[in-house]
Amino acid sequence: MSNTLAIIKPDAVQSGKAGKILSHLEASGFTVKALQMTRISAVQAGAFYAVHRERPFFDSLVSFMTSGVVIPMVLEAEDAVAKLRGVIGATDPAEADQGTVRQLFAESKERNAIHASDSDDNAAAEIAFFFSEHQRLGL
Ligand code: CMP
């Protein structure tokens, strides 16, 4: 078993889809190990998405991710990183496979409902970004 980080993004929280997304993730075989509702600052969002700093959509992405509540969570499954990326679908909901979280719940390429870590190393770093050492003790 391994862990990954998912974030239900502000578009999905604001439109009342968080519960359905959580159900979908559990039905897909993930165990929710830790979860919080929080807001992030522009500095935090910029640090989280530092790899995209030079992209034309960076400022808009930071603005979106700071526009409302986000729900970061630690999900456990066998091969959790790859499994979650399959379950959420392509970045652009128009290109996401039928039945994936983004096909079902996302609005657009930016407002795409959910984030998922893209490697085990990034999962560990992203889990530490949102959850304290104390909160990570039980993982
Ligand atoms: P995420 O998987 O969290 O990783 C980076 C985010 O940037 C992505 O989801 C989208 O929210 C956003 N993003 C990626 N590409 C684009 C794009 N071409 N235009 C707007 N937003 C994008």
Side-chain angles (χ1 to χ4, degrees), residues 9 49 52 55 57 61 64 85 91 102 109-112 114-116:
K9 296 186 182 184
Y49 284 118
H52 297 304
R55 302 282 192 92
F57 58 81
L61 177 61
F64 163 53
R85 290 187 76 81
T91 303
R102 284 168 170 162
K109 195 167 189 178
E110 177 174 87
R111 299 170 66 84
N112 64 354
I114 191 164
H115 166 87

Side-chain angles (χ1 to χ4, degrees), residues 35-114:
L35 177 148
Q36 59 179 299
M37 296 186 81
T38 188
R39 288 191 70 146
I40 56 173
S41 70
V43 170
Q44 287 173 309
F48 189 84
Y49 284 118
V51 66
H52 297 304
R53 202 172 285 279
E54 304 306 324
R55 302 282 192 92
F57 58 81
F58 178 77
D59 287 347
S60 175
L61 177 61
V62 169
S63 167
F64 163 53
M65 289 299 290
T66 57
S67 67
V69 169
V70 292
I71 306 180
M73 67 187 80
V74 180
L75 297 175
E76 182 187 66
E78 201 168 310
D79 203 5
V81 167
K83 180 178 167 77
L84 184 60
R85 290 187 76 81
V87 165
I88 71 171
T91 303
D92 186 341
E95 295 169 7
D97 289 342
Q98 289 291 316
T100 58
V101 173
R102 284 168 170 162
Q103 184 267 321
L104 291 168
F105 301 111
E107 295 175 18
S108 69
K109 195 167 189 178
E110 177 174 87
R111 299 170 66 84
N112 64 354
I114 191 164

